Amino acid sequence: MARVMPIANRDSQDELFMTRALTLARKALLIGQLPIGAALVLDQEVIAEAYCSDKGLRRLHHPELLVLLVCDGRRYDLQERRNMTLYTNLEPCVMCFGAAMSCCVGRIVYGLSAPVDGALSRVSEPGLNRMVDPEYTSPDVVGSVLRHESYTVFEAFVAQWTDPSMVSFAKRILAANAEDPYVEAP
């Protein structure tokens, strides 16, 4: 499994930038899309942001991938990329996690876990450590940042929208995180 760092390893700015990702997720909610937002941060500055806006028509338009594509289009050196943090209110899927690795992002911070399609239960850390290229390593991962707020935005989506496949996905995310959404997980 990929490394999920304890809450104690949070950066002092993690909640601030997760709040930005949640604001973007609420924009998606307003237009009937899955409430997922992402912000890519370098040196305490958001350098790219996105939210679900076309998921029904384009299945690969994940906010995390969109912000990483913006990063990839710019000329950041390896050290700058390693200093980037990807904030998203939902654990990234395997595609987005792999894109973060390929982009050499140093950290990923997320709100809710996504056992439905999340990468952390599917990516093997020992397998990642066998890579020969030292640039291609797994980012550090911090989970459960503003977990309650992420949970409530998914609850609002289920209450407001009726698209069967997206509502079903959101309900599975909620069920997987329902143990106690009002307590930050350790």
Side-chain angles (χ1 to χ4, degrees):
M1 242 188 223
R3 298 180 304 265
V4 179
M5 309 301 277
I7 287 178
N9 287 347
R10 286 185 182 173
D11 183 280
S12 62
Q13 298 294 306
D14 284 348
E15 288 191 8
L16 172 71
F17 291 114
M18 182 60 71
T19 298
R20 183 64 195 150
L22 283 161
T23 297
L24 295 162
R26 289 182 188 98
K27 287 184 177 186
L29 176 65
L30 289 174
I31 60 171
Q33 295 289 316
L34 282 170
I36 304 169
L40 189 60
V41 174
L42 173 63
D43 296 330
Q44 306 302 318
E45 182 181 331
V46 175
I47 59 171
E49 58 184 30
Y51 57 91
C52 282
S53 61
D54 202 10
K55 189 86 164 145
L57 300 173
R58 300 180 74 183
R59 298 189 54 84
L60 298 180
H61 266 218
H62 294 201
E64 301 90 343
L65 183 59
L66 296 174
V67 299
L68 292 168
L69 288 169
V70 168
C71 170
D72 196 47
R74 297 179 182 161
R75 296 200 179 265
Y76 293 106
D77 65 33
L78 180 61
Q79 188 55 49
E80 287 173 313
R81 288 171 182 256
R82 287 276 178 242
N83 290 331
M84 291 179 185
T85 300
L86 173 63
Y87 291 90
T88 179
N89 62 305
L90 184 65
E91 174 191 343
C93 70
V94 173
M95 174 183 69
C96 294
F97 189 86
M101 284 180 61
S102 291
C103 203
C104 300
V105 169
R107 291 176 75 231
I108 296 174
V109 177
Y110 69 88
L112 287 178
S113 63
V116 174
D117 73 340
L120 296 181
S121 62
R122 291 169 176 76
V123 176
S124 165
E125 185 64 33
L128 294 174
N129 285 336
R130 283 195 306 264
M131 306 253 174
V132 177
D133 187 347
E135 292 180 7
Y136 199 71
T137 60
S138 177
D140 290 332
V141 179
V142 178
S144 297
V145 175
L146 299 184
R147 183 174 182 255
H148 169 68
E149 291 82 348
S150 295
Y151 191 91
T152 59
V153 77
F154 271 86
E155 282 182 319
F157 178 80
V158 168
Q160 292 176 23
W161 300 100
T162 59
D163 178 285
S165 66
M166 288 198 290
V167 168
S168 173
F169 176 82
K171 283 182 177 179
R172 290 182 304 200
I173 294 296
L174 289 170
N177 287 277
E179 293 170 5
D180 189 355
Y182 304 101
V183 175
E184 296 289 313

